[in-house]
């Protein structure tokens, strides 16, 4: 029993020493970490202060503001008031006799002598006429006028050149057949005959200025008959179509009828 008591006492001492060692070690670590943080903050603030002092020394101070402008000098001479001069003064008493002026006479330039400055009225003229008029005029007339003569006829309207369309002109099937110089009848395809296929094929044509077919395409009809109709339409020829005396391109459609009969 005594041995157990001795061992428990020594274990408590060891545990106390370990706790004291760990506490001291933790305290040393806290002190060291705090010192490092404080030193870094102090060194960073010192760098900032040094940089601010260097920037202050390098940048010159701003110039002082300019002085305010002096107030305008007061005018020493007094302003003189404007005066109005009245020139239209009524007479003190009306005149005893009023003299009437005669109306001005109408005078014209003497046609016998262009270099003369003397003027005289036109013989047979009307009072109040204009210089240079002719006998028998009316008051307010114009020099060189012809009186009551009929006005000249209006000028002819400007002639407009006929316009020729740039694109092809559309013509009906009746007009195309009437202008056809060479008509080709299409051959009946053998396969269409054997299958008893018949009907109408409409072919769209484009004709140049010389009346030649430049393009042909089937727009409707049985498929077995379209190729034969197009081949025949390409061999057609027409008279040139004139519009305002100039040959133009033409478009239109021709119908080819395929019929086997009875």
């Amino acid at each position: 029993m005594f041995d157990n008591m001795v061992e428990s006492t020594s274990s408590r001492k060891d545990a106390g020493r370990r706790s004291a060692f760990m506490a001291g070690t933790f305290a040393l670590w806290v002190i060291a970490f705090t010192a490092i943080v404080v030193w870094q903050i102090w060194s960073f603030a010192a760098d900032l202060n040094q940089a601010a002092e260097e920037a202050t020394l390098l940048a010159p101070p701003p110039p002082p503001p300019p002085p305010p402008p002096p107030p305008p000098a007061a005018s020493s001479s007094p302003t003189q008031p404007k005066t109005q001069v009245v020139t239209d003064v009524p007479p003190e008493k009306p005149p005893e006799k009023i003299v009437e002026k005669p109306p001005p006479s109408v005078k014209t330039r003497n046609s016998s002598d262009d270099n003369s400055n003397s003027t005289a009225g036109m013989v047979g003229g009307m009072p109040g006429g204009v210089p240079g008029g002719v006998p028998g005029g009316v008051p307010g007339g114009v020099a060189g006028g012809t009186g009551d003569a009929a006005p000249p006829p209006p000028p002819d309207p400007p002639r407009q050149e006929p316009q020729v369309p740039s694109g092809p002109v559309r013509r009906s099937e009746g007009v195309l057949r009437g202008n056809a110089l060479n008509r080709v009848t299409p051959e009946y395809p053998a396969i269409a005959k054997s299958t008893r296929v018949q009907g109408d094929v409409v072919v769209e044509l484009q004709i140049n200025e010389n009346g030649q077919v430049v393009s042909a395409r089937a727009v409707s009809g049985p498929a077995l008959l379209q190729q034969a109709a197009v081949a025949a339409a390409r061999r057609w020829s027409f008279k040139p179509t004139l519009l305002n005396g100039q040959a133009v391109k033409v478009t239109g459609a021709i119908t080819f009828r395929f019929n086997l009969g009875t």
Side-chain angles (χ1 to χ4, degrees):
M1 183 177 178
F2 182 75
D3 294 335
N4 293 333
M5 292 178 61
V6 172
E7 290 179 0
S8 61
T9 302
S10 60
S11 61
R12 286 197 198 99
K13 291 181 180 181
D14 293 339
R17 283 196 298 268
R18 283 196 296 270
S19 299
F21 178 75
M22 291 179 64
T25 304
F26 179 75
L28 289 176
W29 277 106
V30 170
I31 294 171
F33 179 76
T34 304
I36 292 173
V37 171
V38 171
W39 179 78
Q40 288 182 354
I41 293 173
W42 178 81
S43 61
F44 182 74
D47 293 340
L48 289 178
N49 293 333
Q50 184 177 1
E53 292 177 359
E54 292 178 357
T56 304
L57 294 176
L58 292 177
S75 178
S76 59
S77 60
T79 304
Q80 297 181 358
K82 296 182 179 180
T83 59
Q84 295 182 354
V85 179
V86 180
T87 57
D88 189 6
V89 179
E92 296 181 358
K93 70 177 183 176
E96 298 178 355
K97 185 178 181 181
I98 299 175
V99 180
E100 295 182 358
K101 295 182 180 180
S105 60
V106 179
K107 296 181 180 181
T108 59
R109 186 176 180 181
N110 191 357
S111 59
S112 61
D113 187 7
D114 293 339
N115 296 327
S116 176
N117 293 329
S118 64
T119 59
M122 178 64 65
V123 178
M126 293 291 293
V130 297
V134 296
V138 294
V142 180
T146 58
D148 296 335
D156 296 335
R159 183 180 178 184
Q160 297 181 355
E161 296 293 335
Q163 297 181 357
V164 178
S166 58
V169 180
R170 186 79 182 181
R171 289 290 183 262
S172 63
E173 183 174 356
V175 175
L176 290 180
R177 289 185 177 275
N179 293 335
L181 298 177
N182 183 26
R183 301 183 182 185
V184 178
T185 303
E187 297 181 0
Y188 214 113
I191 187 172
K193 285 183 178 181
S194 62
T195 55
R196 306 293 295 178
V197 176
Q198 57 184 355
D200 297 339
V201 178
V202 180
V203 179
E204 183 77 15
L205 301 179
Q206 184 173 355
I207 306 167
N208 61 10
E209 295 86 347
N210 299 326
Q212 303 295 326
V213 178
V214 295
S215 67
R217 64 183 183 89
V219 295
S220 65
L224 294 177
L225 304 175
Q226 290 183 3
Q227 185 176 0
V230 171
R234 291 181 181 275
R235 297 165 60 188
W236 281 44
S237 61
F238 302 85
K239 292 187 297 184
T241 300
L242 300 179
L243 187 62
N244 296 328
Q246 186 174 354
V248 295
K249 299 178 181 179
V250 178
T251 60
I254 296 179
T255 303
F256 294 94
R257 179 163 297 175
F258 293 83
N259 190 1
L260 293 174
T262 58

